[in-house]
Amino acid sequence: MTATQSPSEPVHIIGAGLAGSEAAWQVANAGVRVVLHEMRPHLMTEAHRTDGLAELVCSNSFRSDDAVNNAVGLLHAEMRRLGSLIMRAADANQVPAGGALAVDRDGFSAAVTKALQDHPLIEIRRAEIDGLPPADWRNVIVATGPLTSAPLAEAIRELTDENALAFFDAIAPIVHRESIDMSAAWFQSRYDKVGPGGTGADYINCPMTKEQYDAFVDALVAGEKTDFKEWETNTPYFDGCLPIEVMAERGRETLRHGPMKPVGLTNPHNPTVKAYAIVQLRQDNKLGTLYNIVGFQTKLKHGAQQRVFRGIPGLENAEFARLGGLHRNTFLNSPKLLDAQLRLRAQPRLRFAGQMTGCEGYVESASIGLIAGLYAAADARSQLLAPPPSTTALGSLLGHITGGHIETIDAGPRSFQPMNINFGLFPPLAAAPTKNADGTRLRGNEKTVAKKQAMSARALSDLDRWIADNLHVAAAA
């Protein structure tokens, strides 16, 4: 808490996306009043379509839900233990997606919106904050995301004396299920894997021969693309969300080893013939009427999208509920600008959360909103909250953002870039596993699997200890 803050003052949270919504929930559940500011629907962004809180503008997938072997699945588990609203709403609105946790985007947003509207300590104000927050707001979380309104973004730039870093995110198209030709396509998850709410047959698969694949790649590369404005020309892509045509330009086989890989799938219409490449579609809503084309984020113009994607077997008559698009994201040079509690060094009353801090992905953004909310609530109650252990997914991601893993901050060209959670951000194990439970020696890939599992077990154990030591009230809530 700042020296002049009254315990009765609310925490102001600007932006009600995933990070802002999660932050508001955590602050309010700690017994502190919240004013949540959201500019939609009065002022919309180039990517949002509704006035719902926590609207998903890209994929509907929260990615792997495997808490034992996957870093993002581990982050899911940690957030659930911390009473995450985002994870609660995702679990309640999941749709089949193999080993991934995917959600009905409208149901998910509605659940988050209702929970925040119904909370007695949360007030939602629909208006743009068109500059720095008023000086008498002494405890503020800025969670406006990559599509921060121009006046606020400019005010932050002036305050930090930093040039904005930016990258592009692309959006994949969504197809009406009834327009997909199932005499050519079939339902199956890769390796028949059964995930949360799934059956092992959760994706629609469209097979391609080598000739069809080559023609598809040619059409992608030749298709008319959205032009960049002059100020956008040097903006890079985020590697985790490359437009499919950019991947195709990197090599003819790139897509076959990426989103169109044919492994783990067998075409029941022609089981003895191995497809050269396969396009997968994932259920996008709970009704099962909409499917998004996995990995097909694109900057092709709309006419080119319809022409090229209807060249995929099974999608010849596809009707699109939404075509793909491209939007520009901005983020802070967080290791330089933010302290260990996500506060702006130049003005500590301002705390930042979500994607604009330099994390990438729905769950990562929400998790940073979660810890920002816990920090803000502790400030409001004149308490000091110890950081989550660096051995946890939450702690390791926070370390990436705030520079806890960087010994010095380079005074030259900045290298800080947005990143998804991954085991490379975790501190190494004191001793890597060398043997199986039966005493036999681990070999080959078994060592990698055992190492991930040991890191996951360590993370959850350390998180439980941190919760017990620091979050008695939050854990009870």
Side-chain angles (χ1 to χ4, degrees), residues 97-109:
L101 173 60
V103 305
D104 177 303
R105 65 181 73 228
D106 293 331
F108 168 79
S109 175

Side-chain angles (χ1 to χ4, degrees), residues 5 22 237 345:
Q5 184 182 349
E22 183 66 58
Y237 294 108
R345 297 179 193 276

Side-chain angles (χ1 to χ4, degrees), residues 173-369:
I174 296 174
V175 176
H176 288 279
R177 158 70 180 83
E178 62 184 12
S179 69
I180 301 172
D181 179 7
M182 296 306 295
S183 69
W186 75 96
F187 279 97
Q188 186 185 5
S189 299
R190 206 175 297 280
Y191 301 109
D192 302 305
K193 185 170 183 178
V194 178
T199 64
D202 303 329
Y203 290 76
I204 294 177
N205 300 278
C206 300
M208 284 185 177
T209 64
K210 185 178 188 307
E211 292 72 25
Q212 290 169 329
Y213 175 80
D214 285 338
F216 175 74
V217 171
D218 289 339
L220 271 182
V221 173
E224 192 176 8
K225 280 78 170 182
T226 302
D227 293 327
F228 291 135
K229 298 178 176 65
E230 182 179 351
W231 54 270
E232 297 175 323
T233 53
N234 293 320
T235 301
Y237 294 108
F238 174 63
D239 277 343
C241 202
L242 284 176
I244 191 167
E245 61 276 5
V246 173
M247 286 189 274
E249 290 167 355
R250 294 185 173 185
R252 294 195 67 82
E253 296 294 291
T254 301
L255 296 177
R256 286 189 66 239
H257 297 280
M260 296 175 66
K261 58 180 177 286
V263 299
L265 299 163
T266 301
N267 184 355
H269 305 304
N270 199 356
T272 62
V273 176
K274 182 73 172 176
Y276 191 75
I278 291 177
V279 173
Q280 289 196 305
L281 294 92
R282 176 179 56 230
Q283 187 173 328
D284 199 81
N285 66 342
K286 188 157 284 189
L287 292 174
T289 57
L290 299 176
Y291 275 72
N292 62 70
I293 313 180
V294 178
F296 269 49
Q297 50 274 359
T298 182
K299 64 167 182 168
L300 288 174
K301 289 191 174 180
H302 286 180
Q305 286 185 50
Q306 296 182 66
R307 183 174 61 256
V308 173
F309 296 153
R310 284 177 180 153
I312 298 169
L315 300 186
E316 294 89 347
N317 299 307
E319 294 296 329
F320 294 91
R322 182 191 72 188
L323 289 162
L326 192 71
H327 59 271
R328 187 176 187 266
N329 287 348
T330 57
F331 62 97
L332 299 171
N333 184 17
S334 295
K336 180 179 179 182
L337 300 177
L338 304 183
D339 69 12
Q341 292 196 10
L342 299 166
R343 292 173 298 202
L344 193 66
R345 297 179 193 276
Q347 198 166 123
R349 71 187 180 100
L350 303 180
R351 182 176 269 112
F352 286 79
Q355 196 167 328
M356 67 189 307
T357 64
C359 59
E360 177 62 18
Y362 291 146
V363 183
E364 290 88 338
S365 296
S367 74
I368 297 303

